[in-house]
Amino acid sequence: MSIFVDENTKVIVQGLTGNQGRFHGLRNRDYGTKIVAGVTPGKAGTDVDGIPIFDSVKEAAAATGATASFIVVPPRFAADAIIEAAAAGIAFVVCITEFIPAKDEAMVASVLRRNYPGTRLLGPNCPGIISPGRCNIGITSGDIALAGGPVGIVSRSGTLTYQALYELSQKGVGQTTCVGIGGDPVPGTNFIDCLAAFEADPETKAVLMIGEIGGEEEEKAAAFIKEHVTKPVVAYIAGVTAPPGRKMGHAGAIVSGGHGTAQGKMDALREAGVVVALNPTEAGDRMVEIVERL
Amino acid sequence: MDLFEYQGKDFFARYGVPTSSGVLVRDPQAAVDAAAEVGFPAVIKAQVQVGGRGKAGGVKLVHNDAEALEVATAILGMDIKGHTVHKVWVEHASDIAKEYYVSFTLDRGVKQYLCLLSSEGGVEIEEVAKTHPDAIARVHIDPLEGLTDAEAERVVAEAGIDEPARVGVAKVLMQLYQAFVEGDADLVEVNPLIIKTDGKVHALDAKVTLDDSASYRHPEWEAYRADMELDGREALARSKGLNYIGLDGTVGIIANGAGLAMATLDVVSQVGGRAANFLDLGGGAGADAMANALEVINTDEKVQAVFINIFGGITRCDEVAKGIQEALDRVNLTFPMVIRLDGTNAKEGHEILQGLLSDQIRVEKTMVGAAAVAVELAKKGER
């Protein structure tokens, strides 16, 4: 099994007619993902390499039975796109868009919580989700993933998500699902959501978690692992050497007033029984050792 | 973007938040004239983007021309926690009856806005949280509902704001909330918010962080950006759309994605080196971004070797390789480079790099391996 998506998941791409949408949408289809429609207002009736385009998510979903959406639109249209997908009854929305204003993200979170509790948002500003051999929604290069489990990956950082997949695949260790939750101020899906899903998934035997400095999501995840996760967890926290007070790219990645340090997060995770590695390669090595003992 | 106090006060004024008017000056004599203009007693305040300037002697009360000259001379050019003071703000001294604290920010965990109001201002809020937690009221605000007048009044009462100031403080809360939301700020903080002896409520300080992602809907921010004081290289990088932070080591770093860039710094440190910078090319970077990044790092004389660490997702490795080629054509790069390239279109990228390989340009297969080579080259220091 995989979490959130599987080989039957039907996906529409909001923004399929754009440059990035076309490149990644078609690449997801080539991987085997059921990309069944695209949505671009005003372009209904056209197609992108045989994939039909609709004016709205509602029409696309009604015509195809899609339950997931992949959003690849510019920041100023992203909040409306997410809400449109939720309003059309889409259960799983992946938004890769970077640089969405924090106020828009907070508004989206509030609208989803109140009006569309049945919709799970992944992202924004995330690489997406891949269940190797079954489904790939987002911008991850499918050839770096390896099917057959037994490891679930959850990561707050985009490129480190790829690095994590790569480290395991190179060593012959497959993945059940790899989820990039993104580093934005208001992520739709967080570490705990993924840890709970991996804990419940019988195919997943161990979890690799990639965090980074800033905020307190890793500390909360540590508390959750201590109470609720019985499977082994390996973690790496990026930014051990980051200077305090400087924003390292992600809005979330900042050490301020002694809070959000890599050290504090690593201590909390170790205390929860997590194996903490000092770089992505070491995290891969530790996970291989664990998988060999399973 | 973090605003200077004087910019924060300008930002507040747009939303009706009462502040002292004042004058921004860059030399001591101008400070004397400004103090006379706003009227003695006046306050001369260092404009730096770092906390604790008061303790460092960067905020002083002056009563006459001679004092103003002496104080402005001392403050201008002063170093406050690594920040040199280039500008001072001069305003008339307010008659303070009582000091409060207020801030609005986003509580990431709760996914709602958080307002903190305290009846004890003028000191660090973390300190108040420890010593008098009862003096702080916290309220979460649902973005869909906003802050209502009734809620503002309730918070004011809960924080124990003195009776005569409650109406005025509640009104300022509403104005600050508007500034926070409509102004697309990540943070607005006023410490202290004061009630004056004449009963008026007034923001004596202004700490504002703007959400860079919302720049497209705020053309008025251009004026703030133009006034920012960046290290020359940081300004150059920003003008080219790169996310660059200068550090003090000898290994230049170029990576795509903030997480990978941070991990690259970590690995360089673990194999015994020190990074000269943090540089995130950003998502979907093309050849031009890579060429620009190399150009920026080339101006850093400390750099003895560069480690280019790319894992393509939305960024395509062939574009990255083309960028390296372009930079070699465009600029005289004088440092050795170690490149690690994986992910989207890695094969195409490596094909391009094959034609460039030399003593100056090497390719390594792994992140740790590449870091080790880059650190070794940096230690040779042959640039």
Side-chain angles (χ1 to χ4, degrees):
Chain A
M1 262 171 66
S2 43
I3 67 168
F4 305 144
V5 293
D6 60 29
E7 60 274 28
N8 300 314
T9 305
K10 287 185 183 169
V11 185
I12 60 170
V13 181
Q14 290 170 258
L16 185 63
T17 55
N19 247 337
Q20 297 288 5
R22 184 187 170 93
F23 181 82
H24 294 286
L26 293 181
R27 199 163 67 140
N28 286 173
R29 185 181 66 174
D30 291 345
Y31 188 77
T33 311
K34 290 193 167 65
I35 303 287
V36 295
V39 172
T40 303
K43 294 202 175 165
T46 63
D47 74 276
V48 169
D49 205 30
I51 304 169
I53 303 297
F54 295 83
D55 275 339
S56 70
V57 178
K58 198 173 171 188
E59 289 164 289
T64 62
T67 57
S69 173
F70 173 22
I71 297 181
V72 201
V73 301
R76 64 185 75 189
F77 307 118
D80 286 345
I82 295 167
I83 291 169
E84 187 195 339
I90 298 292
F92 188 65
V93 178
V94 177
C95 181
I96 65 149
T97 305
E98 191 180 3
F99 304 123
I100 300 176
K103 293 289 176 311
D104 294 11
E105 292 189 11
M107 187 64 81
V108 164
S110 194
V111 171
L112 294 183
R113 181 171 53 229
R114 283 172 175 230
N115 303 337
Y116 309 109
T119 296
R120 169 176 297 287
L121 170 66
L122 177 62
N125 190 15
C126 76
I129 184 167
I130 178 167
S131 180
R134 296 162 172 149
C135 181
N136 184 10
I137 307 176
I139 58 180
T140 304
S141 186
D143 56 12
I144 57 171
L146 182 65
V151 178
I153 301 176
V154 55
S155 166
R156 197 170 130 192
S157 150
T159 35
L160 283 181
T161 311
Y162 317 142
Q163 184 70 40
L165 274 168
Y166 187 74
E167 296 284 355
L168 292 181
S169 298
Q170 288 291 95
K171 289 160 184 141
V173 173
Q175 307 90 31
T176 52
T177 310
C178 171
V179 192
I181 59 176
D184 264 15
V186 195
T189 294
N190 62 25
F191 282 123
I192 293 176
D193 297 326
C194 298
L195 288 164
F198 281 133
E199 176 68 13
D201 172 32
E203 233 178 61
T204 301
K205 307 291 183 201
V207 181
L208 177 56
M209 172 181 156
I210 310 282
E212 62 188 31
I213 53 167
E216 47 192 28
E217 291 301 304
E218 289 79 5
E219 286 85 341
K220 287 183 186 165
F224 181 84
I225 290 167
K226 200 173 177 182
E227 290 295 314
H228 303 286
V229 178
T230 59
K231 299 175 181 177
V233 180
V234 175
Y236 163 61
I237 306 295
V240 179
T241 49
R246 302 299 304 265
K247 193 160 151 178
M248 290 292 191
H250 288 165
I254 184 166
V255 174
S256 49
H259 297 291
T261 63
Q263 194 57 50
K265 291 172 188 298
M266 293 194 291
D267 290 347
L269 287 162
R270 275 197 194 102
E271 212 263 319
V274 173
V275 175
V276 177
L278 293 176
N279 64 55
T281 307
E282 192 195 332
D285 292 343
R286 294 289 90 76
M287 184 51 91
V288 170
E289 291 164 15
I290 286 172
V291 170
E292 280 168 355
R293 286 202 302 267
L294 283 173
Chain B
M1 172 169 49
D2 293 329
L3 299 187
F4 287 103
E5 176 196 0
Y6 70 92
Q7 296 174 325
K9 286 183 169 173
D10 174 77
F11 176 80
F12 281 175
R14 288 173 191 274
Y15 300 93
V17 179
T19 61
S20 303
S21 55
V23 184
L24 183 75
V25 297
R26 290 178 168 79
D27 70 80
Q29 190 51 50
V32 175
D33 298 343
E37 186 187 327
V38 300
F40 291 107
V43 184
I44 297 182
K45 305 172 90 173
Q47 298 298 295
V48 280
Q49 288 171 321
V50 62
R53 63 183 174 164
K55 273 185 198 160
V59 179
K60 288 267 165 71
L61 186 67
V62 295
H63 298 88
N64 52 50
D65 284 4
E67 273 183 32
L69 185 64
E70 187 189 331
V71 163
T73 306
I75 294 179
L76 282 160
M78 175 186 272
D79 179 278
I80 300 179
K81 296 182 185 170
H83 295 244
T84 307
V85 181
H86 297 295
K87 299 176 274 201
V88 293
W89 174 252
V90 183
E91 67 183 26
H92 183 65
S94 299
D95 298 317
I96 303 171
K98 187 86 202 286
E99 297 181 313
Y100 308 122
Y101 168 97
V102 60
S103 67
F104 286 92
T105 184
L106 173 70
D107 185 337
R108 290 154 185 266
V110 183
K111 302 182 184 180
Q112 294 191 344
Y113 306 141
L114 176 66
C115 169
L116 290 184
L117 178 66
S118 171
S119 53
E120 295 192 14
V123 288
E124 281 184 24
I125 190 69
E126 289 84 359
E127 202 49 45
V128 180
K130 273 185 217 148
T131 53
H132 297 101
D134 291 351
I136 303 177
R138 305 163 152 265
V139 62
H140 281 104
I141 302 159
D142 186 320
L144 282 181
E145 284 175 14
L147 180 65
T148 60
D149 287 315
E151 191 70 356
E153 282 162 27
R154 194 187 66 72
V155 182
V156 167
E158 193 189 317
I161 301 295
D162 308 81
E163 197 71 58
R166 286 188 183 181
V167 173
V169 171
K171 190 175 167 205
V172 169
L173 278 191
M174 297 301 291
Q175 291 162 332
L176 281 170
Y177 179 73
Q178 199 187 358
F180 172 69
V181 175
E182 286 176 24
D184 275 307
D186 282 337
L187 167 76
V188 299
E189 184 180 57
V190 183
N191 191 18
L193 177 74
I194 57 166
I195 179 162
K196 296 198 278 191
T197 46
D198 64 5
K200 287 189 177 136
V201 177
H202 183 108
L204 198 60
D205 193 10
K207 190 174 176 195
V208 176
T209 303
L210 300 176
D211 176 4
D212 293 317
S213 296
S215 295
Y216 73 84
R217 54 192 182 205
H218 296 282
E220 74 276 13
W221 291 0
E222 220 21 73
Y224 299 145
R225 193 161 287 122
D227 259 15
M228 286 301 152
E229 291 169 5
L230 292 172
D231 153 288
R233 203 166 299 110
E234 291 190 6
L236 177 67
R238 176 167 298 187
S239 73
K240 292 179 183 294
L242 300 167
N243 188 351
Y244 173 96
I245 296 173
L247 302 169
D248 53 12
T250 56
V251 183
I253 305 287
I254 298 174
N256 65 317
L260 186 64
M262 281 190 278
T264 308
L265 260 57
D266 292 350
V267 171
V268 164
S269 156
Q270 282 157 14
V271 298
R274 293 184 69 189
N277 63 276
F278 167 97
L279 194 156
D280 169 15
L281 288 174
D288 204 40
M290 174 53 85
N292 287 336
L294 283 165
E295 206 172 339
V296 167
I297 291 182
N298 202 40
T299 66
D300 186 348
E301 286 170 6
K302 300 190 306 295
V303 171
Q304 295 298 332
V306 171
F307 176 13
I308 301 173
N309 191 12
I310 302 296
F311 210 116
I314 201 157
T315 301
R316 304 172 200 174
C317 291
D318 50 335
E319 284 291 316
V320 168
K322 277 183 208 155
I324 295 170
Q325 192 169 29
E326 200 179 302
L328 287 168
D329 294 343
R330 202 164 82 187
V331 202
N332 179 26
L333 299 176
T334 51
F335 43 68
M337 283 168 265
V338 183
I339 305 160
R340 178 277 181 145
L341 207 56
D342 275 313
T344 305
N345 293 1
K347 195 167 151 276
E348 292 84 346
H350 278 289
E351 278 165 11
I352 296 169
L353 288 182
Q354 274 308 314
L356 304 175
L357 295 185
S358 67
D359 278 353
Q360 193 191 4
I361 300 178
R362 309 171 190 213
V363 171
E364 286 290 325
K365 280 193 166 167
T366 69
M367 178 163 165
V368 177
V373 174
V375 168
E376 191 189 320
L377 288 169
K379 281 184 177 164
K380 278 193 197 156
E382 287 168 356
R383 184 185 177 193

